[in-house]
C-alpha cells in the first residue's frame, strides 16, 4: 500500500488553481521530491498532505487515512518541516523540542534524552539553552528540522529544508536524511536545489502552475528531457543573443539565458571544438553533464537558479 | 541515530494515540485527542521564564478600588443591607464584587491580549496544529492558562481581603472554586471573541466594554437604582452574575437565583470552548 496517494487533487483560491488536479503515489521508504518554480503549488500540496490545508477536490490518502477527517491520527506519524520556521519564540531551543514532543503525547522520560540527541543532530548542543531569537537563521532552520523528528515519524515532509543552510550544514543534513531513509522513513521533499533533488530523491515530480509536467527518477528525467552533455558559453551580455542564431544551427536544442548560452549535445567537447574552429570565441566555456537544472529549464522555460 | 522505529517509545505512543482516537466518534477524533495538558505544560514553561511583575499587572486595579471605595467611601456610607437583608459594612459589600472582577481581569488579560498576539504575530497555533493535537486540545489548554491567571488574581485578592479583616466566614473558601468558574467563563468567552479580532482597534474596544460593565454590574451599589430596562441589560451580562454569586457566598445566603448564576457561567464556558475550537479549526486547518 502506498504511504501517500493523491488523485485529481485540487486546491483553489477563489478562481485561481494553486493545485490543478495532480495525481501521484509515494511508496514506503521512498524519497519523493516535488520540484517546481515559485508558486508552482509545492507548499500547497505539502500542507494538504499534512491535513492543515483543506483540499478543494480530489482524493488524498496518507498512511491509508484521509488527513482531513483523521488529522490528529495522521499527523501523529508525520514529521512536518514547514517552509517558514515556526519555532516557539517564547521557549528556549531545547524546550522547543521537548514541548513539541509533548504535543504528540510523548513522555518526558523519552523526550529528555531525545532532545539532547536531536540537538546533537542539529549541531546545536551549545545552544540548548539559547532563546530562539538568539539563534541565526540557519540554526533556526536546523532546529525546525530536528523538531520534525521528535516523534520518530514514519513520513517526513520537508518543505525546502536546506534553504538558508551553509554548504556544510546542507551536506550533513543530506547524510542524516539518507540514514533516516535507510531506517525506512519515507521522505517527501520540495526543493529549488537541483543537486539536492538529485542527491536525495529516488523519484520526483516537476510541477508548474499547479500541474505535474514530468515524473520519474532524476536519471530518468535527464535522459528523457535533456542530452548527455551541456556546453555553457558566455559571450558577454550583449553578444549572447547575437551569436545565438549561428549556434542554434549546430544543435537540436539550445537555451539563451541573459548571462549565458546553453547548448545541448551528446559530445560536448566535440561541439566546443566546432565552435572554436568557427572563430566564435566565447569569453568562457564549460562542458558539463546534464542535470535536473536542464530538465527544469526545458519543462518550465525558467531557470531555477536562486 | 539508531532507533527501532517499530517498537520504540514513539511508535508505541503513536499506536496508542491511534487506538484511542479510533474508539471516538469520527467528528470528535478530528477535534480532540485528549492532550490539552501538553498545551498547559507549554504555558507553565513560558510562565516559569516570564517576568512575574508583568503577570501581576491588572491585579492591583480591584485592590485600588477596595482601598479607595471600600475604605474611603465606606466611611461615608457606613452600613448597607447585605444579600440576606442583614446590614453589613460597605467594605464587606464591595469585597466579593471586586473578587469576581479580579478573576475576570486575570482571565481576560491572558485570553484577550496574550492570545491576540499569538494569533496574529506568532505561529504557535500553526505549529501546534501540525502535530497530533486537535483544535480542541489547543482551545482547552489555552483557556486553562487564562483561567489560571484569573484564579491567581482571585487567590491574591482573597489574601488581601483576609489581611484587611474582611473575611469573616468559612464560606470564603468556597469563593475559590467560584473564582475558578468565573475565570473559566471569561477566559473562554475572551478567547472566543479574540479569535475574531483583526487588528489593534478591536483590541482597544475590550477595556471600553469592560469598564462600564464593571461600574454598572452591582459592584459598587445595587442595580435597583436603575430603571427596569437597564437592569435587564445588566442582568444579561456576565459580570453581574459573578458579583451576585460571590456576594451570596460571602455571607452564605442562597436563593434559586444562585443556580442561575452558576448555570450562566457554565453555559458561557461551554459556548466559548466550542467557538474557540471551531475558530482555531477555521484559522489553521482550512
Ligand atoms: N492563502 C492563499 N490565498 C491565495 N492564494 C494563495 C494562498 N496560498 C497560496 N496561494 C497561491 O497558490 C500558489 C501556490 O503557492 P505555493 O505556496 O504552493 O507555491 P510553492 O510551489 O510552494 O512556491 P515557492 O517555491 O515559492 O515556495 C501561488 O500562486 C500562491 O500565490
Ligand atoms: Mg513553497
Amino acid at each position: 500500500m502506498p504511504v501517500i496517494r493523491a488523485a485529481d487533487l485540487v486546491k483553489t483560491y477563489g478562481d485561481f488553481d494553486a493545485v490543478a488536479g495532480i495525481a501521484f503515489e509515494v511508496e514506503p521508504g521512498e524519497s519523493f521530491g516535488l520540484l517546481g518554480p515559485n508558486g508552482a503549488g509545492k507548499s500547497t500540496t505539502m500542507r494538504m498532505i499534512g491535513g492543515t490545508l483543506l483540499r478543494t477536490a480530489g482524493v488524498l490518502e496518507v498512511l491509508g487515512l484521509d488527513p482531513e477527517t483523521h488529522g490528529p491520527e495522521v499527523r501523529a506519524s508525520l514529521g512536518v518541516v514547514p517552509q517558514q520556521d515556526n519555532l516557539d519564540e517564547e521557549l528556549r531551543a531545547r524546550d522547543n523540542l521537548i514541548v513539541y514532543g509533548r504535543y504528540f503525547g510523548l513522555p518526558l522520560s523519552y523526550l529528555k534524552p531525545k532532545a539532547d540527541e536531536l540537538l546533537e543532530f542539529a549541531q546545536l548542543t551549545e545552544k540548548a539553552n539559547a532563546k530562539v531569537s538568539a539563534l541565526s537563521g540557519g540554526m533556526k532552520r536546523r532546529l525546525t528540522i530536528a523538531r520534525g523528528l521528535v516523534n520518530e515519524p514514519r513520513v517526513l515532509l520537508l518543505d525546502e529544508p536546506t534553504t538558508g543552510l551553509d554548504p556544510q550544514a546542507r551536506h550533513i543534513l543530506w547524510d542524516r536524511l539518507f540514514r533516516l531513509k535507510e531506517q525506512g522513513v519515507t521522505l517527501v521533499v520540495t526543493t529549488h536545489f537541483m543537486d539536492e533533488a538529485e542527491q536525495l530523491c529516488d523519484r520526483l515530480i516537476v510541477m508548474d502552475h499547479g500541474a505535474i509536467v514530468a515524473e520519474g527518477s532524476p536519471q530518468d528525467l535527464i535522459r528523457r528531457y535533456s542530452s548527455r552533455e551541456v556546453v555553457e558559453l558566455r559571450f558577454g551580455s550583449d553578444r549572447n543573443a547575437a551569436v545565438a542564431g549561428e549556434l542554434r544551427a549546430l544543435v537540436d536544442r539550445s537555451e539563451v539565458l541573459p548571462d549565458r548560452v546553453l547548448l545541448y549535445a551528446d559530445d560536448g567537447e566535440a561541439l566546443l571544438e566546432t565552435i572554436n574552429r568557427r572563430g566564435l570565441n566565447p569569453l568562457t566555456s564549460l562542458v558539463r553533464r546534464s542535470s535536473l537544472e536542464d530538465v527544469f529549464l526545458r519543462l518550465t522555460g525558467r531557470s531555477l537558479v536562486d | 541515530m539508531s532507533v527501532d522505529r517499530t517498537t520504540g517509545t514513539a511508535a508505541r505512543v503513536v499506536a496508542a494515540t491511534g487506538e484511542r482516537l479510533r474508539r471516538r466518534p469520527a467528528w470528535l477524533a478530528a477535534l480532540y485527542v485528549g492532550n490539552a495538558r501538553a498545551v498547559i505544560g507549554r504555558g507553565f514553561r513560558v510562565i516559569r521564564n516570564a517576568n512575574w511583575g508583568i503577570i501581576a499587572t491588572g491585579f492591583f486595579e480591584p485592590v485600588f478600588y477596595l482601598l479607595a471605595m471600600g475604605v474611603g467611601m465606606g466611611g461615608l456610607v457606613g452600613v448597607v443591607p447585605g444579600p440576606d437583608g442583614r446590614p453589613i459594612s460597605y467594605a464587606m459589600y464591595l469585597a466579593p464584587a471586586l473578587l469576581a472582577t479580579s478573576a475576570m481581569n486575570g482571565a481576560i488579560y491572558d485570553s484577550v491580549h496574550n492570545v491576540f498576539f499569538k494569533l496574529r504575530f506568532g505561529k504557535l497555533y500553526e505549529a501546534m496544529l501540525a502535530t497530533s493535537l486537535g483544535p480542541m486540545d489547543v482551545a482547552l489548554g489555552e483557556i486553562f492558562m487564562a483561567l489560571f491567571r484569573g484564579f491567581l488574581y482571585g487567590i491574591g485578592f482573597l489574601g488581601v481581603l483576609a489581611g484587611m479583616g474582611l473575611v469573616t466566614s468559612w464560606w470564603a473558601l468556597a469563593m475559590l472554586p467560584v473564582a475558578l468558574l468565573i475565570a473559566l467563563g471569561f477566559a473562554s468567552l475572551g478567547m472566543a471573541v479574540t479569535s475574531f479580532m483583526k487588528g489593534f482597534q478591536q483590541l482597544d474596544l475590550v477595556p471600553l466594554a469592560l469598564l462600564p460593565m464593571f461600574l454598572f454590574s452591582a459592584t459598587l451599589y445595587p442595580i435597583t437604582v436603575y430603571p427596569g430596562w437597564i437592569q435587564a441589560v445588566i442582568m444579561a451580562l456576565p459580570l453581574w452574575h459573578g458579583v451576585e454569586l460571590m456576594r451570596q457566598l460571602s455571607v452564605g445566603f442562597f436563593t434559586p437565583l444562585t443556580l442561575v448564576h452558576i448555570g450562566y457561567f457554565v453555559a458561557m464556558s461551554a459556548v466559548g470552548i466550542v467557538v474557540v475550537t471551531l475558530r482555531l479549526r477555521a484559522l489553521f486547518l482550512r
Side-chain angles (χ1 to χ4, degrees):
Chain A
M1 191 180 69
V3 170
I4 302 173
R5 189 173 76 85
D8 305 319
L9 188 60
V10 175
K11 178 68 192 184
T12 343
Y13 290 108
D15 54 6
F16 173 76
D17 289 344
V19 172
I22 61 171
F24 62 87
E25 288 188 1
V26 181
E27 298 301 325
E30 191 177 24
S31 173
F32 185 79
L34 276 72
L35 232 66
N38 291 141
K42 305 179 297 293
S43 298
T44 305
T45 306
M46 292 291 246
R47 294 184 51 210
M48 286 193 282
I49 295 173
T52 53
L53 186 67
L54 304 185
R55 59 186 182 271
T56 309
V59 181
L60 184 59
E61 271 175 22
V62 180
L63 299 164
L65 297 169
D66 181 341
E68 250 172 58
T69 55
H70 292 73
E73 188 174 351
V74 168
R75 287 191 286 273
S77 304
L78 292 189
V80 179
V81 178
Q83 184 170 355
Q84 306 276 344
D85 296 330
N86 56 9
L87 295 165
D88 194 330
E89 304 269 345
E90 293 183 275
L91 296 175
R92 291 168 193 284
R94 184 166 181 269
D95 284 353
N96 254 279
L97 299 174
I98 292 177
V99 165
Y100 198 78
R102 296 289 294 150
Y103 298 158
F104 288 95
L106 296 162
L108 279 176
S109 58
Y110 161 87
L111 286 169
K112 284 180 176 167
K114 187 71 183 177
D116 294 328
E117 180 191 318
L118 287 172
L119 284 170
E120 176 106 38
F121 164 89
Q123 300 162 283
L124 290 172
T125 305
E126 283 88 71
K127 297 282 180 182
N129 290 315
K131 286 189 178 153
V132 168
S133 53
L135 299 180
S136 77
M139 290 174 182
K140 284 185 197 167
R141 195 69 191 141
R142 272 152 33 200
L143 188 60
T144 306
I145 295 168
R147 193 188 63 174
L149 295 172
V150 76
N151 58 329
E152 295 182 354
R154 286 169 63 194
V155 183
L156 189 55
L157 305 178
L158 300 147
D159 198 350
E160 299 189 23
T162 59
T163 302
L165 295 190
D166 63 39
Q168 192 202 0
R170 278 175 78 197
H171 283 281
I172 291 174
L173 181 68
W174 290 349
D175 174 61
R176 304 284 156 86
L177 291 178
F178 192 76
R179 273 191 252 171
L180 286 175
K181 196 166 115 62
E182 284 180 326
Q183 291 169 21
V185 178
T186 307
L187 305 178
V188 182
V189 192
T190 80
T191 180
H192 285 292
F193 300 111
M194 294 299 129
D195 51 343
E196 182 161 288
E198 287 185 47
Q199 287 269 338
L200 279 182
C201 301
D202 301 325
R203 202 159 58 84
L204 49 91
I205 55 177
V206 180
M207 291 182 73
D208 197 19
H209 299 299
I212 296 176
V213 290
E215 176 172 356
S217 71
Q219 294 72 27
D220 243 10
L221 291 170
I222 292 167
R223 210 176 307 123
R224 232 180 313 151
Y225 296 100
S226 194
S227 57
R228 210 171 67 85
E229 290 185 325
V230 187
V231 182
E232 284 195 22
L233 304 172
R234 287 169 208 266
F235 292 92
S237 38
D238 28 324
R239 260 189 83 211
N240 280 344
V243 294
E246 193 171 339
L247 293 171
R248 222 173 256 142
L250 299 174
V251 286
D252 295 338
R253 183 184 161 220
S254 63
E255 297 279 353
V256 183
L257 304 179
D259 62 329
R260 64 211 146 110
V261 181
L262 304 183
L263 301 174
Y264 293 89
D266 282 328
D267 188 343
E269 289 297 343
L271 178 62
L272 190 56
E273 232 165 82
T274 314
I275 291 166
N276 284 332
R277 229 180 299 123
R278 294 200 172 197
L280 285 168
N281 297 329
L283 297 174
T284 65
S285 62
L286 166 76
V287 177
R288 60 168 173 83
R289 297 178 59 87
S290 262
S291 71
L292 277 178
E293 186 85 47
D294 304 291
V295 173
F296 196 82
L297 199 57
R298 168 85 178 268
L299 289 170
T300 67
R302 259 159 298 177
S303 163
L304 243 194
V305 189
D306 270 353
Chain B
M1 283 201 304
S2 60
V3 277
D4 188 339
R5 285 177 181 270
T6 48
T7 59
T9 310
R12 262 191 288 116
V13 169
V14 166
T17 304
E19 217 160 283
R20 191 148 37 89
L21 288 172
R22 276 190 291 276
R23 280 199 301 270
R24 295 204 177 137
W27 64 270
L28 183 61
L31 294 177
Y32 183 58
V33 234
N35 191 18
R37 86 189 88 84
V39 178
I40 294 167
R42 184 253 168 210
F44 280 118
R45 241 172 236 263
V46 171
I47 290 183
R48 214 189 291 160
N49 304 331
N51 182 346
W52 280 85
I54 292 173
I55 288 175
T57 53
F59 165 72
F60 294 101
E61 193 183 292
V63 177
F64 291 145
Y65 270 98
L66 182 68
L67 295 177
M69 297 299 203
V71 180
M73 288 269 284
L76 289 175
V77 177
V79 291
V80 293
D84 51 0
R86 280 186 292 171
I88 52 174
S89 74
Y90 184 62
M92 284 288 285
Y93 178 82
L94 197 58
L98 293 176
L99 177 58
T101 308
S102 207
M104 172 182 86
N105 281 353
I108 289 284
Y109 184 85
D110 213 51
S111 69
V112 175
H113 297 84
N114 289 350
V115 166
F116 178 81
F117 281 95
K118 286 184 219 170
L119 274 169
R120 293 297 149 209
F121 304 107
K123 293 185 169 179
L124 178 68
Y125 300 138
E126 178 194 285
M128 284 180 171
L129 290 169
T131 69
S132 61
L133 288 175
M136 192 160 154
D137 297 284
V138 178
L140 289 176
E142 286 291 277
I143 287 170
F144 180 90
M145 289 315 296
L147 156 134
F148 176 71
R149 187 193 285 253
F151 188 55
L152 276 191
Y153 280 25
I155 291 180
F157 194 77
L158 200 57
V160 172
L161 293 185
M164 291 175 67
L166 292 172
V167 175
T168 52
S169 148
W170 284 105
W171 283 108
L173 281 184
M175 286 175 153
L176 280 182
V178 170
L180 206 59
L181 181 66
I182 292 173
L184 174 64
F186 279 106
S188 313
L189 187 73
M191 191 168 172
V193 169
T194 306
S195 68
F196 289 97
M197 287 186 187
K198 299 254 165 352
F200 285 100
Q201 296 88 336
Q202 287 156 328
L203 194 64
D204 290 341
L205 292 178
V206 172
L208 205 63
L210 289 183
L211 184 63
M213 181 164 79
F214 164 66
L215 291 175
F216 286 94
S217 292
T219 31
L220 308 176
Y221 44 82
I223 57 170
T224 45
V225 303
Y226 297 120
W229 68 271
I230 295 189
Q231 289 189 32
V233 171
I234 294 170
M235 289 161 88
L237 296 174
L239 186 57
W240 179 76
H241 293 274
V243 167
E244 287 296 300
L245 192 53
M246 279 295 190
R247 196 165 276 152
Q248 291 183 334
L249 216 49
S250 69
V251 293
F253 173 77
F254 303 102
T255 65
L257 264 184
T258 312
L259 286 177
V260 174
H261 300 321
I262 293 173
Y264 189 100
F265 276 97
V266 170
M268 180 171 158
S269 310
V271 170
I273 290 167
V274 170
V275 171
V276 173
T277 300
L278 297 181
R279 280 297 289 166
L280 285 176
R281 186 176 69 172
L283 288 171
F284 298 101
L285 305 170
R286 59 207 159 92

